[in-house]
Amino acid sequence: MDFQNQINFLKALQKNNNKEWMDANRKWYKQVRDDFIGWLDTMNAKLADIDDEYYDTPGKKGINRINNNLMFHPNKPIYKDHFGAGLDKRPGTGDFYIEIGIERCMFAGGLWRPDSKRLRSIRDAIDYDGEELKKILNKKSFKKTFGGLWEDVKLTNSPKGFSNDHPHIHLLRNKTFAVATEFSTKEIFKKNFEKQVVKVYEEMLPFRRYLNQAVTV
């Protein structure tokens, strides 16, 4: 994977964030995109080798559009400043997200503001076995990698059907159940980067399995 070419493209795109420039440089974009898809295929195979429950996600299915969704975010630029993709992308569950950007890169996973049905399923799982989730979140290596749950909007009171003195009320009030680790773009140029992807995936796996089991049972 020629990450330098990818970063050079993204930098040029951000200086010329308009359809006219993109149309004139469509060949360059396709070259970078195809290269990234090929790298995702490689990671797809590597992750499948270490996870018996892995959901096969070829690069073409995993890669996200580079266009911003202007319908919901009209003030954003037309094009993103990064390439993103989701692997282990089983329908209805939380995938393993990879983002390669100009200044920031990220690994993330879980469920970002899931719909009411899936959110209720997660809360029911926490009600039934919240100690297991706490054990995952409090693992030393997990906390070192991700810190904790992604900070997002929370309920001020207990969700419907749960009391304020519930032993896991601090978890139940969350609307987002996701974790992430950000790192400098320079890390992608190191020889051990792919091993780092696998390491983070393995560290995140118990957390994602807990959530995915909750929303699929």
Side-chain angles (χ1 to χ4, degrees), residues 107-110 132-150 171 177-181 199-211:
F107 300 131
E132 179 61 25
L133 180 58
K134 286 178 64 178
K135 182 180 177 181
I136 293 169
L137 295 174
N138 290 329
K139 183 182 175 184
K140 187 175 181 181
S141 57
F142 188 93
K143 292 180 73 173
K144 182 179 180 180
T145 304
F146 305 109
L149 285 177
W150 185 276
L171 290 172
F177 290 87
V179 295
T181 179
K199 182 179 178 181
V200 174
Y201 179 89
E202 289 180 308
E203 189 67 59
M204 193 190 299
L205 193 54
F207 171 74
R208 293 181 52 244
R209 280 184 173 168
Y210 182 95
L211 296 179

Side-chain angles (χ1 to χ4, degrees), residues 18-48:
N18 57 74
K19 188 176 183 301
E20 291 74 19
W21 186 89
M22 177 62 92
D23 288 342
N25 291 271
R26 186 70 57 179
K27 185 177 180 180
W28 188 11
Y29 166 65
K30 288 184 176 181
Q31 178 193 51
V32 173
R33 184 177 184 275
D34 288 346
D35 196 16
F36 188 49
I37 287 173
W39 181 78
L40 291 172
D41 286 337
T42 298
M43 297 313 306
N44 183 54
K46 287 179 179 292
L47 298 181

Side-chain angles (χ1 to χ4, degrees), residues 113-128:
R113 299 184 186 180
D115 58 67
S116 58
K117 182 180 179 180
R118 289 189 296 171
L119 182 56
R120 179 69 198 200
S121 294
I122 294 171
R123 285 172 172 161
D124 285 344
I126 293 171
D127 182 46
Y128 176 74

